[in-house]
Amino acid sequence: MRHVKIKQFVLLLGLLLSTAWGNANGFTVIDGHSHIAIKEANVHAEPKGSTINASISGHTLMVSFSQNIGQVAVEITTTTGVTVDCLSTMTPTGFQCYITDAGDYVVTFTLSNGDEYYGEFTVTD
């Protein structure tokens, strides 16, 4: 169990550092991880997009939340709208998702208050 917590800590630390080193366009490659810029889609309350950190490395999408923003629904779709994966997670935490096919994707984050954020990314072989 301790080994798993260490892995999670290292993953979260890596994602947070990637975000800190990001440039103004929100696209940076550090150690093979491409940072994904998180944008507001539908926000009614105080913006929380900066608490969502995402990056892609090959076929692996990595996401972490730097604050407790409650329950978050996550949906990964192709740019044509086909759902690839859906999950719900409590924050602050992180997760990884393996995407089998190369192509262009959108990850959407919906907070419990209805606020939505999204990021666009490309999976390459």
Side-chain angles (χ1 to χ4, degrees):
M1 185 67 167
R2 186 170 195 265
H3 183 66
V4 172
K5 289 189 182 246
I6 291 171
K7 280 185 176 180
Q8 288 176 338
F9 175 75
V10 170
L11 171 65
L12 290 174
L13 183 62
L15 289 172
L16 291 174
L17 290 174
S18 296
T19 301
W21 291 323
N23 64 17
N25 293 330
F27 181 78
T28 302
V29 177
I30 298 174
D31 295 331
H33 298 266
S34 298
H35 173 74
I36 300 169
I38 303 301
K39 303 170 188 165
E40 298 175 1
N42 186 18
V43 178
H44 304 289
E46 178 183 340
K48 299 286 186 183
S50 64
T51 67
I52 304 169
N53 305 295
S55 65
I56 189 77
S57 179
H59 287 258
T60 305
L61 173 67
M62 293 158 286
V63 176
S64 68
F65 301 91
S66 61
Q67 287 184 11
N68 183 351
I69 55 175
Q71 184 95 14
V72 177
V74 181
E75 181 177 25
I76 302 166
T77 60
T78 64
T79 54
T80 59
V82 176
T83 299
V84 174
D85 199 0
C86 290
L87 63 108
S88 182
T89 187
M90 287 299 294
T91 61
T93 188
F95 66 89
Q96 292 185 28
C97 180
Y98 185 82
I99 300 170
T100 55
D101 298 322
D104 295 322
Y105 294 88
V106 177
V107 58
T108 303
F109 303 93
T110 305
L111 280 54
S112 58
N113 67 0
D115 287 358
E116 289 183 358
Y117 302 88
Y118 71 97
E120 301 169 313
F121 63 97
T122 301
V123 173
T124 58
D125 284 325

